Amino acid sequence: MGWASCPGARPLRNGPRACSCDRIGCPDAGSHPLSRAWQMQATTDATLLTHWWQSEPEANVILPTGRVFDVFDVPVAAGLTALAAMDSAGTASGPVAANGDRVLFYVATRNASDDEDEWWSCSLDYGPSTIEEMPGLRWHCRDSYVLAPPSILPTGQPASWLRPPDGRPLPDPLRVLDVLADTCE
């Protein structure tokens, strides 16, 4: 698919905040990259990826956003309603994942500017550290990441694909955002 990835921490069964990282009381147990250098580390190199997962077979899968794709992240009720609306309208949803109480819609990235100075963020942009500030619609783009299936969520359940990636071009984010914004209101 050409999607870069890197290893992520995994939740441990020792309690709700138990994480495979070495932080005591990790605030994001099992839902973050193993390395602080994850943006530079993420790769599509099959040899390196194979080495990482042979060394850490239980590591979660971290996908950086804003490179090949962005991700709209919505509460599960809104996500399933939006997915049904897209189906009934014949609108392509692209890949869609279920991550616990959230549904993730993978869309073409808006970070395609040739000139870095032309890129700007918006109030929907989501950084991994702002989860509590954005309970509704979140937009993962440049400088963010998502936990991808088959990663294990802090609840112990696996993330799963509702619509797996199939190699088709990713949908226009503004078309998907239009449906999601209506559903999330």
Side-chain angles (χ1 to χ4, degrees), residues 84-145:
M86 290 177 185
D87 287 346
S88 67
T91 304
S93 65
V96 180
N99 281 23
D101 63 350
R102 309 290 296 183
V103 174
L104 309 180
F105 289 79
Y106 290 68
V107 296
T109 187
R110 297 287 293 172
N111 186 23
S113 176
D114 292 332
D115 181 0
E116 274 295 299
D117 294 331
E118 290 182 19
W119 189 92
W120 63 91
S121 61
C122 76
S123 60
L124 289 175
D125 290 350
Y126 167 71
S129 63
T130 60
I131 191 165
E132 298 304 322
E133 299 168 20
M134 301 289 284
L137 175 63
R138 302 176 192 141
W139 187 338
H140 299 265
C141 55
R142 188 171 77 169
D143 297 329
S144 188
Y145 58 83

Side-chain angles (χ1 to χ4, degrees), residues 30-131:
S31 299
H32 61 84
L34 284 175
S35 170
R36 290 182 187 211
W38 63 271
Q39 291 172 312
M40 293 183 294
Q41 183 184 42
T43 184
T44 58
D45 181 285
T47 303
L48 186 53
L49 292 168
T50 300
H51 169 73
W52 283 339
W53 270 276
Q54 284 177 341
S55 299
E56 289 279 339
E58 294 180 359
N60 277 340
V61 179
I62 299 293
L63 299 177
T65 55
R67 296 179 182 186
V68 175
F69 56 85
D70 290 349
V71 173
F72 292 123
D73 172 347
V74 297
V76 71
L80 296 177
T81 300
L83 195 55
M86 290 177 185
D87 287 346
S88 67
T91 304
S93 65
V96 180
N99 281 23
D101 63 350
R102 309 290 296 183
V103 174
L104 309 180
F105 289 79
Y106 290 68
V107 296
T109 187
R110 297 287 293 172
N111 186 23
S113 176
D114 292 332
D115 181 0
E116 274 295 299
D117 294 331
E118 290 182 19
W119 189 92
W120 63 91
S121 61
C122 76
S123 60
L124 289 175
D125 290 350
Y126 167 71
S129 63
T130 60
I131 191 165

